[in-house]
Amino acid sequence: MDTLGGDRGGDGQFRRSSTRISRAPLIKHISNSRKFSIRRSSSSSASVEQIQTSETTEIPPPFVSSSSSPLSATLIGYNEDILLQILPYLPPKSLLRFQSVSKKWLSIISNPTFRRLHLRVNPTTATSAFILFRKIKNMAPELNFISSHEDYVNPMGNIVSNLNNLFENADILGLHSCNGLLCVKFCFNYDSIEFVVYNPTTNKYRLIPRLKKIVEERLLQTSVVNIAFDPLNPAQYTLVCVITDHFESEYRFIVYSSETGFWRESVKRLDIYTEKYYFDRGVLWNGGLHWATQWGSTVCFDIDHECVRSTMPNLPALYDDSSEVCYFGDSGGELYLISVSMPRKTVFNVFSLKMDYSKWDVKHRIDLTLLSIFYPLVVDEELDPNEFGFHILHYVVDKNRGNVMVVLSMHRKIFCYDINDLTVKELANIEPKEVSYRWMETSKYLRRDASKYMWREAYQHVETLAYI
């Protein structure tokens, strides 16, 4: 299925500019994609083995006893006590579909008490799909998706379409995701900034009260908003708006609680002359929102106390001056930072932060050199000789199975890679796309390979029935 990113315009600066705005690249998902095993052999440096799927034996339908009848099924279907023992264990996608079974089922599933029960039993259902959002100069802001399963291609297409058409005369300027809820920054009629909390699973949204009483409109142009939603506490969510105040040379933090419905500014601020943090990509972990810089510094905003933590540990000596952050996220209850060292662009160091914030531990060292043999076009040297060969979009640690899987974006392709058994599954082909823009700090013209996505541009889709 071909999917085209949302090119509905962009922010006011793009619309008023005479610069030609190009559309987003086309993403074509690969149907019936199979896994390939990459392994070394004695005759060559590497080889590829396609994993053959065994023929599945058709399972006969279950034996239906005479006691099973439409009448007994009807009795069960209308017995609320029995339904409340079964329905909370079903995934959100199924429950939304089952709302149409009857008025009784609709009443149960749409009830806020049942939704809270479902979140306690089944907090979130992580999918193998990702929402893609990015803003590249001279290219229309792109809202798109990627899915590793064909079953999710059409639903994700609907989610992107719904979000793109949520409002008329409004452009998406920013997006953040946490455990299934999105916080979207909209610009209405080129000048009015609004924040919206959106649940893509239920297609419900809430317009958040405006910040004008606390922050001037001019400062809202530089703002980014992160959402913090803990499924174990589904009754509320928190928004943290980070304002870049160049006049005061500070980063300001303003907090919104869905429980109170009000914004409140944090007393503690951060010096703007520190390193530039990726404030648009906060990670909720251990009760706080965490952000990283390109060079490995991190900062944490404690949500309960509404303040910035005073200190954060430095990365180990393995992280040197030639290293850059290429991924920052959580998995399996741990917070990970992944770096890549120059000039090698295929060796990654994985660090994990201690729960008590005492230090970063070295967890893994991922060498994708073997993978680059089979994908020699991972870097277009003529386009950008300093560009990474691979971008890590997602990093998953399965502690039960003891394996690690990464979703990688490279030149014209996105795929999954299991670093333990060295298997590859290609997900999508990306249309070749090059974007040129002027870098303000040096006044030089740079070119970016727009067929590659970065970790800051991918958000895992999580299903949740949470009310907003």
Side-chain angles (χ1 to χ4, degrees):
M1 177 180 178
D2 296 346
T3 58
L4 185 61
D7 50 359
R8 302 174 61 233
D11 59 22
Q13 293 177 346
F14 284 151
R15 286 183 180 273
R16 298 187 185 101
S17 172
S18 60
T19 304
R20 180 179 179 273
I21 304 299
S22 63
R23 65 169 177 81
L26 194 70
I27 296 179
K28 187 173 184 179
H29 286 84
I30 300 174
S31 300
N32 300 318
S33 176
R34 296 188 178 184
K35 286 186 178 181
F36 292 88
S37 177
I38 299 176
R39 58 183 176 81
R40 294 187 180 275
S41 66
S42 57
S43 59
S44 62
S45 58
S47 63
V48 175
E49 176 186 356
Q50 181 171 317
I51 297 178
Q52 300 291 339
T53 56
S54 59
E55 294 184 3
T56 56
T57 304
E58 185 176 349
I59 301 176
F63 173 74
V64 180
S65 66
S66 58
S67 61
S68 298
S69 66
L71 178 60
S72 60
T74 301
L75 292 176
I76 293 174
Y78 280 88
N79 188 313
E80 187 169 338
D81 291 335
I82 296 178
L83 289 175
L84 288 176
Q85 295 180 44
I86 299 173
L87 295 180
Y89 294 91
L90 300 180
K93 187 178 178 181
S94 299
L95 290 175
L96 292 175
R97 193 166 62 247
F98 291 159
Q99 286 185 139
S100 60
V101 170
S102 67
K103 291 182 179 180
K104 180 74 172 180
W105 285 44
L106 174 62
S107 175
I108 293 174
I109 296 172
S110 61
N111 189 291
T113 302
F114 173 80
R115 296 286 179 95
R116 288 192 289 270
L117 172 64
H118 182 266
L119 284 168
R120 286 197 299 269
V121 174
N122 197 357
T124 57
T125 303
T127 71
S128 54
F130 301 85
I131 296 174
L132 303 175
F133 177 78
R134 63 180 178 179
K135 294 191 300 179
I136 302 176
K137 290 186 178 181
N138 298 340
M139 192 175 83
E142 177 187 1
L143 182 65
N144 216 320
F145 72 92
I146 188 72
S147 174
S148 64
H149 289 294
E150 292 183 56
D151 292 344
Y152 267 97
V153 172
N154 287 332
M156 289 303 297
N158 292 333
I159 287 174
V160 169
S161 177
N162 291 337
L163 186 54
N164 252 332
N165 297 286
L166 200 59
F167 302 104
E168 294 183 359
N169 302 319
D171 296 305
I172 298 176
L173 301 186
L175 184 147
H176 185 261
S177 174
C178 182
N179 290 319
L181 297 187
L182 304 181
C183 183
V184 189
K185 178 182 177 182
F186 283 96
C187 179
F188 288 83
N189 300 317
Y190 310 120
D191 56 3
S192 178
I193 302 298
E194 301 282 359
F195 301 123
V196 173
V197 173
Y198 178 66
N199 185 336
T201 303
T202 61
N203 195 30
K204 302 296 183 182
Y205 71 90
R206 179 178 296 276
L207 200 62
I208 302 302
R210 305 184 75 176
L211 262 171
K212 276 190 172 181
K213 293 182 179 180
I214 301 177
V215 180
E216 299 176 38
E217 187 73 27
R218 60 178 175 81
L219 291 178
L220 287 179
Q221 299 290 341
T222 66
S223 66
V224 295
V225 180
N226 290 223
I227 183 170
F229 171 62
D230 183 358
L232 298 180
N233 184 20
Q236 66 174 349
Y237 52 83
T238 302
L239 305 184
V240 179
C241 179
V242 185
I243 303 289
T244 304
D245 193 336
H246 292 286
F247 295 93
E248 299 293 335
S249 300
E250 292 175 324
Y251 292 115
R252 298 164 57 183
F253 299 87
I254 306 173
V255 182
Y256 171 83
S257 170
S258 63
E259 189 175 32
T260 65
F262 295 104
W263 290 94
R264 183 168 60 183
E265 184 163 6
S266 172
V267 176
K268 194 167 184 179
R269 302 182 178 185
L270 191 64
D271 190 345
I272 205 171
Y273 294 110
T274 57
E275 294 184 61
K276 184 178 179 181
Y277 289 91
Y278 296 124
F279 280 123
D280 58 340
R281 192 56 198 269
V283 180
L284 178 64
W285 179 78
N286 202 21
L289 275 169
H290 301 74
W291 298 278
T293 70
Q294 180 181 1
W295 310 114
S297 297
T298 55
V299 66
C300 171
F301 186 86
D302 189 310
I303 294 176
D304 289 338
H305 297 90
E306 298 185 1
C307 66
V308 179
R309 286 183 63 94
S310 56
T311 58
M312 290 287 285
N314 295 322
L315 288 166
L318 187 61
Y319 189 96
D320 54 33
D321 293 338
S322 65
S323 300
E324 290 187 28
V325 172
C326 60
Y327 181 80
F328 187 62
D330 67 316
S331 179
E334 295 193 50
L335 182 66
Y336 293 99
L337 185 148
I338 304 178
S339 70
V340 59
S341 298
M342 308 299 276
R344 295 190 69 185
K345 307 169 187 175
T346 57
V347 178
F348 300 84
N349 295 315
V350 181
F351 305 95
S352 174
L353 184 60
K354 288 281 191 181
M355 290 288 289
D356 60 1
Y357 293 89
S358 58
K359 67 173 183 174
W360 289 91
D361 286 331
V362 181
K363 283 288 186 177
H364 307 283
R365 188 175 178 87
I366 304 174
D367 191 343
L368 300 181
T369 304
L370 181 62
L371 190 60
S372 65
I373 296 175
F374 300 98
Y375 294 101
L377 294 179
V378 292
V379 179
D380 188 341
E381 299 290 349
E382 294 182 359
L383 184 62
D384 187 351
N386 297 317
E387 178 66 35
F388 298 160
F390 300 96
H391 285 292
I392 297 177
L393 300 185
H394 194 55
Y395 178 84
V396 182
V397 177
D398 189 334
K399 293 184 178 180
N400 294 327
R401 298 181 180 180
N403 66 340
V404 177
M405 187 272 292
V406 290
V407 178
L408 298 169
S409 176
M410 58 170 263
H411 185 56
R412 306 182 186 182
K413 198 175 292 291
I414 295 178
F415 55 92
C416 293
Y417 180 54
D418 190 313
I419 67 173
N420 294 87
D421 59 16
L422 303 181
T423 56
V424 175
K425 180 183 179 182
E426 296 184 354
L427 305 182
N429 294 315
I430 315 297
E431 174 192 21
K433 193 75 176 180
E434 175 186 330
V435 178
S436 299
Y437 59 92
R438 187 176 181 181
W439 185 246
M440 299 301 294
E441 295 181 5
T442 62
S443 297
K444 293 182 179 179
Y445 280 90
L446 301 178
R447 294 186 296 169
R448 173 175 170 177
D449 181 1
S451 71
K452 288 195 290 189
Y453 292 84
M454 301 180 182
W455 66 271
R456 306 190 308 275
E457 300 164 347
Y459 303 85
Q460 185 180 22
H461 173 55
V462 176
E463 291 183 345
T464 177
L465 293 179
Y467 269 108
I468 54 175

